[in-house]
Amino acid sequence: MSSNPYHDKRCQWLMYLVFFAGVGLIPVFIDDAFLLNQFALYGVFGLLAVSISLCWGAGGILNLGQGLMFGLSAYGMAMTMQMQSQDPINNPIPPFMLNNGLDHLPWFWSLFSSTGGGIFLTLAVPTLFCLLFGGLMFSARVSGPFFAIISLALLSAVGTLVLDIQPYTNGANGISPPMPLQIFGAPLDPYSTSMFWVVFVCLCGLTVLAKLITQSKFGQIVHALKNDPERVRFLGYNVALYETLIYTLSGFIAAVAGCCFTLIVQYVSPAQFDVAFSITMVIWAGIGGRLSLLGSIIGALLIQGGQSYLGDSFLNSWMLILGLFFIVVVRFLPRGLAGLIESVLGRLRTPEPAAHEASAALTKSGS
Amino acid sequence: MAGVLEIRDLHKRFDTHHVINGFSLDVAEQTLSCLVGPNGAGKTTLMDLITGRLKPTSGSVRFHGDELTGLSENDIARRGLGRKFQIPAVFKDLSVRDNLTVAYSRHVNPFINMIRFSDPAMNRRLEEVCTLVGLHNRLRVEAGLLSHGETQWLEIGMVLMQEPRLLLLDEPIAGMTEGEIEKTAHLLRKIRRTATLIVVEHDMGFVREIADVVTVMHMGTLLAQGRIDEIEANPKVRDVYLGTEEESA
Ligand SMILES: Nc1ncnc2c1ncn2[C@@H]1O[C@H](COP(=O)(O)OP(=O)(O)OP(=O)(O)O)[C@@H](O)[C@H]1O
Ligand SMILES: [Mg+2]
């Protein structure tokens, strides 16, 4: 009865397979190191788009402050990489701290002295933050625009803080670790194929995980919750817990994106906490189709791709163009490009029952 | 018969407005009680107080002996109270099937639900509930596209998926056609064989058909309780409720 292949789970997985197989072939055809590095960076945008799609599309939680999780982990990774090039005995303090008049390593920097511990903290801090902040907000039944605004305010507060505590973060200059991350005894060169594969595995793995979760009972409950949280509560589910978990999961994915970002560009600055960047993430998902993880990824690729091709010539008005485009999509395609595909596929299939009858009639008359 | 629900001296004030004013009620196991009363009598507010949507100003609500006041809505639902809302609350974007499967809330642990993709016990329950409420051939339809009557059945179906011990149904036949009302009466009598029901209803014809016990509420207090013929003969009830109904009719 459901004739739209868009809703067919097998078709959906097939699309994921085609997409990721296509992306996986990139290193086969491209050996330009700079391009590979760019593609890896696009993978990071894809991860961020997945994180927004999960939170906003699947869970109905509009989060305008996803850059917070992204930025925190990007800094964490930069700290880990920076500490790798410090010597605990002869040269324990990063140069920028010395320039800023610090004569000892701050305690929270020393936690990043070991690579394993550093990476763990890099992912754990933003995730735990989501768990606490989300738990606090959702158990107080803060939702919708209120949550969006609070998350935005928090992002801009942390961004300002990072900028302000220059001795610890190098302020507006950001941190540029002198060397790529050394892992398992070898450097992870940002321009290498390995870097591409690291991002690919994260993107593919986390997208599939997110997709599976949206198809599970949990995903179904979260979907219902987006319709009417009150009703879900009366069914016996702890709504705040479900909301907190989907928000945390989304935050974790953004944190993975932050890690990969620093690995790829070997630099981090308060620009990662920029409010405009977090809003751009929401626009990717809005244009690509927030209800579809893959749609959101493609939205991110199209818009960031468009920005790097067209943006150079329209640099000043790019945000304006993007904003207008977003308004048009929201007005005419509320489900984004994925929604457009959904309705086109739906329309293509509508005549099918008639065709079915016709062929049935044919076989009858034939026999 | 053991008491399922015991309400004692319940009060609810909104600022100065005393909506529930010393209400007490006992509901026996496997009975179908109808709660009637004029508009604004406090029937929906009473359901809100029982199911935890509102906290009472004072008084107690006990379910199988356990105090419910102070518990969260989801904890109360977990103890076996299912509620259908006056304004039908179904998930409009979800298919009828998904509405029913979400409502199957035997397992509420979110981590386990993340890896739960199929559930044979749920499918069996779905089958039973579909047979009861008769939405078999509508399972794939988006709930927002259902008719009034079907929406009511869907929400009753959702409550049944919860496998509750006590069902609170607020105006289940609003918007139904004659034939649908007849089917619903049949359905409620069937549910009564295994569970306890409290049904808020205005239609005295329907009440006469289904009720074991009728409770009349007026201005937040219990006005009368008894069998339908006793209630209809009660002069106080005729005065405040049945009388007004005849006038407005
Ligand atoms: N949140 C609230 N704040 C203030 N007053 C309220 C609130 N909720 C309900 N009331 C008042 O309480 C009274 C009882 O309302 P309630 O909805 O319980 O009546 P009811 O018996 O269900 O009526 P109906 O038959 O129309 O559904 C009404 O006078 C209503 O205005
Ligand atoms: Mg009411």
Side-chain angles (χ1 to χ4, degrees), chain B residues 113-157:
Chain B
N113 280 340
M114 279 185 197
I115 50 170
R116 191 185 302 283
F117 293 92
S118 70
D119 185 344
M122 179 189 76
N123 289 335
R124 252 175 279 134
R125 183 69 189 153
L126 183 72
E127 200 54 40
E128 286 166 20
V129 168
C130 278
T131 312
L132 272 172
V133 299
L135 287 168
H136 256 306
N137 54 352
R138 304 290 271 162
L139 281 179
R140 301 174 87 158
V141 178
E142 235 175 67
L145 302 175
L146 296 178
S147 72
H148 274 299
E150 286 172 326
T151 309
Q152 299 279 24
W153 283 332
L154 173 57
E155 204 184 356
I156 296 173

Side-chain angles (χ1 to χ4, degrees), chain B residues 38-45 47 86 170-171 200 202:
Chain B
N39 290 112
K43 304 180 297 292
T44 302
T45 308
M47 303 235 148
Q86 180 165 357
D170 203 343
E171 308 203 1
V200 172
H202 281 295

